[in-house]
Amino acid sequence: MNHLPQAWGRPRDDVYGAYDHSYLQSSGPKQHTQSPIVTGTSVLAVKFKDGVVIAADNLASYGSLARFTDVKRLRPFNSTTIIGVGGDVSDMQYLERMLNSLDISENNGSAGHALNAKNLHTYLAKVMYKRRSDVNPLWNAILVAGLDGDNKPFLSSVDLLGTTFSSPTLATGYGSHLAQPLLRKLVEDEDKVKDVTREAAVEAIKQAMKVLFYRDARSMDKYSLAVVTKEGGVELKEDEQLEGQSWAFAETIRGYGTQVV
């Protein structure tokens, strides 16, 4: 009997015969990803009068398991642009390699022109729509934040279908249900952006991240936060920690913990 570790868990050849490896070969059509496996949850962003604030937690979940707790989902592109990515982590890594190549060719070229946030959003929209048309989508929801060609705050989204949307406040994943109403209290429409300070925008994002930590089972209390302005460029902090959490509200929820009826 073969006691070598590489044989553990395999049927014995002397009893069942040698394994037929032809079963591993498929002559069927090429198949693509049917659903994401390791995923990141919400990305939040809000405009203010001088720029944009964007945040995403550092958790990547393997199904319902909080598996990877140090996955950075905010990716600076240049000094005026950053993207936040939700959805499949492997597709996010593919996008990162693609954008690194684009950064080298466009932002460091001899022409002297750099892509702004609006240019990058248009590029990503074309990429996502092309992959969707190939029936091989990148399973991501992306927020592009930064400054446009006139150095004005820019914020827009693109999803796995190539659908684009712009708004003073945006969120992906569960945040589109829970965080958006909170952020819209601060900025109702484009006309209100000029009245919002950086401090108010950062505080609103932090409060929304706290609510998501309370309510979203795929989130965590460690997150990345970036502020994009003309003067400071992309200011990214990747290991922020939520503060002042209180679970006292849970005591009034029936079915939570031990209660006397």
Side-chain angles (χ1 to χ4, degrees), residues 47-177:
K47 287 182 182 179
F48 63 97
K49 62 180 182 179
D50 297 319
V52 185
V53 181
I54 185 171
D57 67 39
N58 297 345
L59 178 67
S61 301
Y62 181 79
S64 60
L65 174 66
R67 178 63 182 85
F68 305 102
T69 58
D70 194 29
V71 177
K72 309 300 192 299
R73 297 189 291 119
L74 299 185
R75 305 289 181 174
F77 180 68
N78 54 28
S79 60
T80 63
T81 307
I82 189 169
I83 67 169
V85 185
D88 190 72
V89 172
S90 60
D91 285 345
M92 179 188 73
Q93 293 168 337
Y94 168 81
L95 284 169
E96 180 185 6
R97 292 192 297 270
M98 182 184 66
L99 293 180
N100 283 340
S101 299
L102 181 67
D103 183 23
I104 293 171
S105 62
E106 295 291 337
N107 292 331
N108 299 302
S110 58
H113 300 290
L115 297 180
N116 55 52
K118 188 174 182 179
N119 300 146
L120 181 62
H121 176 258
T122 301
Y123 177 83
L124 287 172
K126 303 298 183 184
V127 169
M128 300 297 278
Y129 184 76
K130 193 269 181 185
R131 289 292 297 260
R132 171 255 191 182
S133 300
D134 291 341
V135 200
N136 184 22
L138 296 170
W139 291 78
N140 297 112
I142 306 170
L143 297 189
V144 181
L147 305 176
D148 61 15
D150 298 323
N151 287 323
K152 295 181 179 179
F154 177 87
L155 177 60
S156 195
S157 68
V158 58
D159 63 11
L160 78 166
L161 299 178
T163 304
T164 61
F165 184 74
S166 297
S167 176
T169 64
L170 286 175
T172 72
Y174 208 48
S176 62
H177 302 284

Side-chain angles (χ1 to χ4, degrees), residues 169 171 174-187 208:
T169 64
Y174 208 48
S176 62
H177 302 284
L178 292 184
Q180 274 284 52
L182 302 176
L183 298 177
R184 284 173 178 163
K185 286 184 178 180
L186 178 69
V187 190

